[in-house]
Amino acid sequence: MSATSKTDQKAALDIASWLFNVVTSVGIILVNKALMATYGFSFATTLTGLHFGTTTLLTTFLTWLGYIQPSQLPWPDLLKFVLFANFSIVGMNVSLMLNSVGFYQIAKLSMIPVSCLLEVVLDNVRYSRDTKLSILLVLAGVAVCTVTDVSVNLNGFLAAAIAVWSTALQQYYVHYLQRKYSLGSFNLLAHTAPVQAASLLLVGLFLDYWLTNQRVDAFNFSFISLFFLILSCSIAVGTNLSQFICIGRFTAVSFQVLGHMKTILVLVLGFTFFGKEGLNMQVVLGMLIAILGMIWYGNASSKPGGKERRSLSIPITKAQKLNGLSESAESDGKV
């Protein structure tokens, strides 16, 4: 296969990965909005535990069929990943409860600078001026169209800080573990999903009661709410998988920057399906600024020197060198 056709194939797979992530992520947000706001199932942590439980069932079935090959992930690394991931989920839920929506959105935006810092410190990545400016433009655009009232208190600030750092570490760790142990996206999910499902379902019993003052086991399901719950769990399998695929193919920073396209789509679809309340020139202007920033980021980070890893922080074993020879050129092309 020629170098040109390899590049074209990689570009096609990159686009397909992003589309998969965007469709499943936007879909699950809209379904969860209906499930929680319309049908009253407001147990966010338990719902996430059910998502990972459904993912566990799928990965177990695929492993039994032989589609997922056996792989190794040491327990210390698995537990660190699950700790980061669960603190991310719990921290976000608590932050949303304790803070205004405006400050919650600011906290989410701060994940990009934190992810950049992790890549600079841990992977010795360097960004060009255009790449940095494009990231700032994306942040400004999303802030303009999502941040309204901003109020903060100490407990809310601490919850947001924990959520931001744990999310950035979890997304960095996805990329790190896939490279270090040569794990595919399904392999990593097969290791992490069962532990996350069990821990979140346990924590959710207490955390959701604290947040909602309602017991999840006392929820009165209707046929339609049960349908939306099953639909949410089904889409979540694709969301979990697509996140691992995208971060594995790219990096946590690129996933965060271009991922704000989902924020724009959710706003547009929300205005389309749930009414145009809140739609004004400020929101439209913010969307346009963010989209321009994403286009600029994609162009700037793909240029030579736009985003460079000076040296790898992960030790590579002899076996990994042999397995990775055929992929080295592709890995160097990640943005």
Side-chain angles (χ1 to χ4, degrees), residues 34-203:
L35 178 63
M36 292 181 168
T38 306
Y39 300 107
F41 190 87
S42 54
F43 311 102
T45 304
T46 299
L47 180 61
T48 308
L50 292 172
H51 289 168
F52 282 106
T54 309
T55 304
T56 300
L57 292 176
L58 177 64
T59 55
T60 301
F61 181 63
L62 292 177
T63 302
W64 179 68
L65 290 177
Y67 288 109
I68 299 179
Q69 299 302 314
S71 58
Q72 296 295 321
L73 180 60
W75 268 100
D77 284 323
L78 173 60
L79 292 178
K80 276 191 286 187
F81 176 88
V82 171
L83 188 67
F84 294 146
N86 286 0
F87 266 106
S88 167
I89 294 164
V90 172
M92 281 297 176
N93 291 340
V94 175
S95 174
L96 184 58
M97 182 190 76
L98 297 178
N99 295 312
S100 66
V101 174
F103 185 78
Y104 175 78
Q105 290 293 345
I106 289 175
K108 287 179 67 176
L109 290 174
S110 68
M111 289 178 197
I112 293 179
V114 172
S115 294
C116 289
L117 178 64
L118 289 177
E119 287 193 355
V120 169
V121 174
L122 300 178
D123 280 352
N124 203 21
V125 170
R126 294 295 179 267
Y127 299 91
S128 68
R129 185 189 65 175
D130 280 1
T131 303
K132 295 174 185 175
L133 290 175
S134 66
I135 291 174
L136 289 176
L137 190 63
V138 172
L139 294 175
V142 176
V144 167
C145 63
T146 61
V147 176
T148 52
D149 61 310
V150 178
S151 60
V152 62
N153 56 76
L154 179 60
N155 290 336
F157 178 82
L158 292 175
I162 291 171
V164 168
W165 276 95
S166 56
T167 301
L169 284 165
Q170 182 258 342
Q171 292 183 355
Y172 174 83
Y173 227 53
V174 169
H175 194 63
Y176 173 89
L177 293 176
Q178 287 187 354
R179 285 187 295 146
K180 183 175 182 179
Y181 296 109
S182 301
L183 295 172
S185 301
F186 266 118
N187 292 110
L188 188 55
L189 265 181
H191 286 292
T192 60
V195 185
Q196 280 194 264
S199 55
L200 287 172
L201 287 173
L202 180 62
V203 171

Side-chain angles (χ1 to χ4, degrees), residues 21 25 27 45 56 137 141 164 170 201 239 242 244 248 254 260 262 272 285 288 330:
N21 181 254
S25 298
T45 304
T56 300
L137 190 63
V164 168
Q170 182 258 342
L201 287 173
T239 307
S242 65
F244 283 16
S254 294
H260 278 299
K262 292 177 287 189
T272 302
L285 177 63
L288 293 175
E330 181 179 343

Side-chain angles (χ1 to χ4, degrees), residues 222-302:
S222 63
F223 173 80
I224 191 68
S225 62
L226 186 61
F227 168 77
F228 271 97
L229 178 63
I230 294 172
L231 181 61
S232 175
C233 291
S234 302
I235 298 174
V237 176
T239 307
N240 292 332
L241 177 62
S242 65
Q243 183 194 44
F244 283 16
I245 290 174
C246 286
I247 296 177
R249 293 189 67 82
F250 309 102
T251 63
V253 172
S254 294
F255 180 74
Q256 283 282 346
V257 173
L258 300 181
H260 278 299
M261 178 59 72
K262 292 177 287 189
T263 303
I264 305 301
L265 282 175
V266 168
L267 286 172
V268 171
L269 292 174
F271 292 136
T272 302
F273 293 111
F274 299 104
K276 293 181 172 58
E277 182 181 354
L279 180 62
N280 52 47
M281 283 304 299
Q282 176 183 330
V283 173
V284 174
L285 177 63
M287 290 179 182
L288 293 175
I289 293 172
I291 291 171
L292 285 174
M294 292 171 203
I295 295 171
W296 188 10
Y297 175 83
N299 182 56
S301 62
S302 62

Side-chain angles (χ1 to χ4, degrees), residues 303-326:
K303 288 181 178 179
K307 181 179 178 182
E308 293 182 327
R309 179 178 285 113
R310 301 292 176 85
S311 62
L312 288 173
S313 61
I314 298 176
I316 304 296
T317 64
K318 186 175 181 181
Q320 287 173 320
K321 284 182 180 178
L322 293 174
N323 291 333
L325 283 175
S326 61

